Amino acid sequence: FEALDYTLKKASEEGIYVVLVITNNWNDFGGVNQYVAWSDTASEHDDFYTDENCKDMYKAYVDYLINRTNSLTDVVYKDDPTIMTWELMNEPRCESDKTGDVLVTWTDEMSAYVKSLDPNHMVALGDEGFFNNPDEADSDWAYNGYSGVDWERLLALDNIDYGTFHLYPEHWGDTFSENPLQSGIDWIIAHSEVASTLGKPAVLEEYGIQKTGVNNRNLIYESWTNQAVLSGIDGTMFWILSGIDTGASADENGLYPDYDGFRVTNDDSKTAYLLARHGSEMNGEVVVKEPSAYILAPYAGEKISEVYAFKATSINYDKEIESIVLTIEGIEEPFVASAKGVVVLETYSYPLEGDTTFNVTIYYTDGTVVTDSVVAYVSNKETKEVVGRTFTFDDSLEGFKQEAASQASFGPLGVYHSPLVGNGALVIDAIWSGTADWQELRVLNTDVPEIANCVRVEYDLYYPVDAASGEGGVRPYAVGNPGWVKLGQDMSNMNFIDIPTEEIGGLVYAHQHVVIPTSGLTPCSELYIGAIGSLMIYEGPIYLDNIVLYEEVYVD
């Protein structure tokens, strides 16, 4: 708690207000599952919301926190104006109850309890903003109650002062990820309309687009923040501003590592400028918004051939475009267009090789000129795939270890080596409860520089059939890091009953061969292998074997 004392003291000195989150839905920092583990009468994640022991422990912690005296300022937390809000939980979900009743009841009880101890601070839930609309039963999971969250009913509770919602379209499935810009705008509008009807504020509390992904982050952030202002959203907080890290985990620049690819620093000049400008606007300052040009394709670092479509767009702020000029390094003739919206230089043949700069310049009738550029790698040489590195686990874990941030339970032995499958395999002793769509286990190796040039990852997963109920499914994936470039998510999903089986040593195993294409991983050097249990009841070993990284080389 002394570290938290210091955080509040420093925030006060800097004029920063704090939303203090009481616990986490996920396992990071203990979370809901830690309370469940402590209770003699709870066994599953969702028991947290109804188990009396869990609720009593949560209330005891709340009571201590609210009534704690800061060791550095002598100010009691409940009297500290630096704390803006008590937030009940980060991203609560109760997927075993699709009605939303369980989470609404818990939130009503706990928000009233917090207010009974401290009526002078605001209280928020901290949820992701998922809706529960019965008339949209066939719609996307974020709208139809799948996660057991009912944003409208939660916001209507007497002791909830404002609503929170998050926005991560790249992680939320096809409905969001196919067009993250527009799906995000729709998400913001939907929440502003409900909040307006209920007469309460709404805060876009977390949002993120990966810097290293295929989407133009700056275009999306500018569009989303503009929509937040237009819709009357009362606050926005992007994820994540990273600063100096003096600990052992600091990256090569002495900063908090970019664990998930969402990091923003002052070195991200365009991103930092847009977010700072938006912050000024949200503070009621008059800001001047100049147009922006954005390249949609290729994305930075993409590997492409000579035949390609070059796409660009712009945000104009009511200024009139005179012309749009697309130029490609090494090509003498520019492409000039006068159209608004997305401009496409259709497939052309460019005699190029190596790193190539793509530029867009937009001229406006008032003399304003804006530009954008990306560097992509163009290659027209014949290539072939070769094995860059393999992990066979014949006699050791070969540098892999348990990833502590996993959002499910490792069994009592955790991660170890076993000779029972193949010539040896890495084993994850796993416990999947079947109560959630996302129960994740991960292993990692921090010394895999070959991942930077990898074009494909393959590996095998073996599950003893008798360890599973036969229900649910498995969603394997991989991650390259730094940058947290998630690979293959939802590309190899299978229902457990559909996974082919084979007999090994007299036991029957479900054998899942995973193939994951990759690109643009430079400068990744860490490899994570993950498996997500989706409503999967499973308790036993998962065997990971035969990881192969393929590289692409030129044919002589």
Side-chain angles (χ1 to χ4, degrees):
F1 284 98
E2 291 178 351
L4 183 57
D5 291 344
Y6 175 78
T7 299
L8 291 173
K9 175 180 181 292
K10 190 65 176 177
S12 177
E13 292 171 355
E14 298 294 337
I16 294 171
Y17 296 93
V18 173
V19 176
L20 208 158
V21 185
I22 295 170
T23 194
N24 196 4
N25 179 66
W26 313 112
N27 286 354
D28 307 83
F29 314 109
V32 164
N33 281 333
Q34 182 61 69
Y35 285 93
V36 172
W38 280 329
S39 173
D40 294 333
T41 53
S43 59
E44 305 289 350
H45 172 281
D46 290 359
D47 291 343
F48 172 83
Y49 300 107
T50 56
D51 178 75
E52 292 302 324
N53 285 331
C54 286
K55 291 196 292 183
D56 287 346
M57 285 186 282
Y58 179 87
K59 287 179 178 178
Y61 176 62
V62 167
D63 181 54
Y64 176 82
L65 195 64
I66 287 176
N67 289 296
R68 176 178 171 78
T69 299
N70 190 310
S71 62
L72 300 175
T73 65
D74 291 328
V75 176
V76 179
Y77 276 28
K78 67 181 178 182
D79 298 326
D80 193 343
T82 306
I83 298 172
M84 185 183 91
T85 304
W86 297 109
E87 193 162 279
L88 302 182
M89 186 188 302
N90 174 57
E91 299 189 338
R93 298 184 186 185
C94 184
E95 293 178 350
S96 62
D97 171 40
K98 306 303 183 188
T99 69
D101 292 346
V102 169
L103 186 56
V104 168
T105 300
W106 181 88
T107 303
D108 190 29
E109 178 180 351
M110 295 308 169
S111 60
Y113 181 71
V114 171
K115 286 286 190 179
S116 73
L117 298 175
D118 178 6
N120 297 319
H121 280 98
M122 290 190 288
V123 174
L125 175 55
D127 61 302
E128 295 155 283
F130 300 136
F131 293 103
N132 192 337
N133 299 325
D135 57 346
E136 297 187 37
D138 296 327
S139 67
D140 186 86
W141 65 276
Y143 287 91
N144 66 16
Y146 181 87
S147 292
V149 179
D150 190 334
W151 195 73
E152 187 167 359
R153 290 169 63 198
L154 290 163
L155 181 56
L157 293 172
D158 290 342
N159 292 302
I160 294 298
D161 294 299
Y162 64 87
T164 63
F165 64 106
H166 299 182
L167 181 52
Y168 292 104
E170 292 167 315
H171 290 179
W172 283 2
D174 291 346
T175 301
F176 285 89
S177 62
E178 288 177 354
N179 188 344
L181 190 154
Q182 188 58 50
S183 65
I185 286 175
D186 295 341
W187 191 244
I188 292 167
I189 292 172
H191 287 83
S192 68
E193 290 176 346
V194 171
S196 177
T197 300
L198 293 175
K200 287 190 177 181
V203 173
L204 176 54
E205 186 185 58
E206 282 187 35
Y207 63 90
I209 292 290
Q210 289 189 308
K211 180 181 178 181
T212 55
V214 301
N215 298 298
N216 191 310
R217 181 168 76 166
N218 290 334
L219 167 64
I220 294 174
Y221 281 5
E222 185 168 4
S223 301
W224 286 355
T225 52
N226 283 344
Q227 186 62 55
V229 173
L230 184 64
S231 296
I233 295 298
D234 299 277
T236 64
M237 297 188 283
F238 66 92
W239 180 268
I240 174 177
L241 177 66
S242 294
I244 296 168
D245 187 342
T246 58
S249 63
D251 69 9
E252 65 277 7
N253 296 313
L255 299 177
Y256 183 78
D258 190 9
Y259 287 114
D260 53 17
F262 296 119
R263 184 174 73 175
V264 175
T265 71
N266 279 334
D267 290 337
D268 302 312
S269 55
K270 176 71 170 181
T271 310
Y273 164 75
L274 290 172
L275 294 172
R277 185 182 72 180
H278 172 64
S280 297
E281 186 175 25
M282 292 295 284
N283 282 338
E285 300 174 26
V286 176
V287 299
V288 177
K289 294 183 178 181
E290 292 294 334
S292 297
Y294 291 109
I295 294 174
L296 302 178
Y299 59 85
E302 185 176 5
K303 295 179 180 179
I304 60 177
S305 66
E306 65 179 359
V307 178
Y308 202 74
F310 179 9
K311 300 180 182 180
T313 190
S314 59
I315 297 178
N316 300 317
Y317 297 112
D318 297 325
K319 291 195 175 186
E320 183 178 354
I321 292 176
E322 182 177 281
S323 64
I324 301 173
V325 179
L326 305 174
T327 59
I328 303 171
E329 180 185 7
I331 305 297
E332 293 183 4
E333 294 298 323
F335 174 76
V336 181
S338 58
K340 296 181 180 180
V342 177
V343 176
V344 180
L345 177 54
E346 295 291 356
T347 51
Y348 273 63
S349 180
Y350 310 127
L352 305 170
E353 193 69 39
D355 285 339
T356 302
T357 302
F358 293 73
N359 300 288
V360 59
T361 304
I362 301 180
Y363 299 88
Y364 292 85
T365 55
D366 69 348
T368 301
V369 180
V370 293
T371 63
D372 191 24
S373 64
V374 300
V375 177
Y377 187 83
V378 183
S379 177
N380 303 299
K381 295 179 180 179
E382 184 181 354
T383 61
K384 65 178 180 180
E385 290 184 0
V386 299
V387 174
R389 188 169 179 182
T390 61
F391 298 89
T392 59
F393 306 112
D394 289 349
D395 52 19
S396 72
L397 295 182
E398 300 188 44
F400 279 86
K401 60 184 178 181
Q402 179 175 324
E403 163 59 1
S406 297
Q407 296 162 0
S409 296
F410 286 94
L413 297 179
V415 173
Y416 56 95
H417 177 267
S418 171
L420 296 180
V421 171
N423 293 321
L426 179 151
V427 186
I428 304 170
D429 260 340
I431 300 174
W432 282 328
S433 67
T435 60
D437 186 50
W438 188 287
Q439 292 191 301
E440 180 180 359
L441 298 163
R442 290 198 299 261
V443 295
L444 77 151
N445 188 321
T446 59
D447 185 22
V448 190
E450 294 84 0
I451 192 69
N453 299 312
C454 183
V455 295
R456 192 171 78 255
V457 178
E458 296 189 15
Y459 56 89
D460 293 301
L461 293 171
Y462 296 87
Y463 316 87
V465 171
D466 61 5
S469 68
E471 299 179 0
V474 182
R475 304 161 63 183
Y477 72 95
V479 166
N481 200 50
W484 201 252
V485 185
K486 192 165 282 190
L487 313 169
Q489 184 175 326
D490 295 328
M491 293 178 62
S492 303
N493 298 357
M494 294 189 73
N495 292 323
F496 191 78
I497 59 174
D498 296 327
I499 300 175
T501 61
E502 63 182 79
E503 186 174 320
I504 303 174
L507 295 177
V508 178
Y509 295 81
H511 176 197
Q512 188 175 23
H513 182 68
V514 181
V515 180
I516 299 175
T518 70
S519 63
L521 294 178
T522 303
C524 293
S525 59
E526 301 177 347
L527 175 63
Y528 292 70
I529 300 292
I532 299 166
S534 180
L535 301 176
M536 178 86 168
I537 300 175
Y538 183 97
E539 184 169 351
I542 298 174
Y543 296 87
L544 169 64
D545 201 7
N546 303 319
I547 301 175
V548 183
L549 309 182
Y550 292 90
E551 297 178 355
E552 198 171 60
V553 298
Y554 293 120
V555 176
D556 293 334

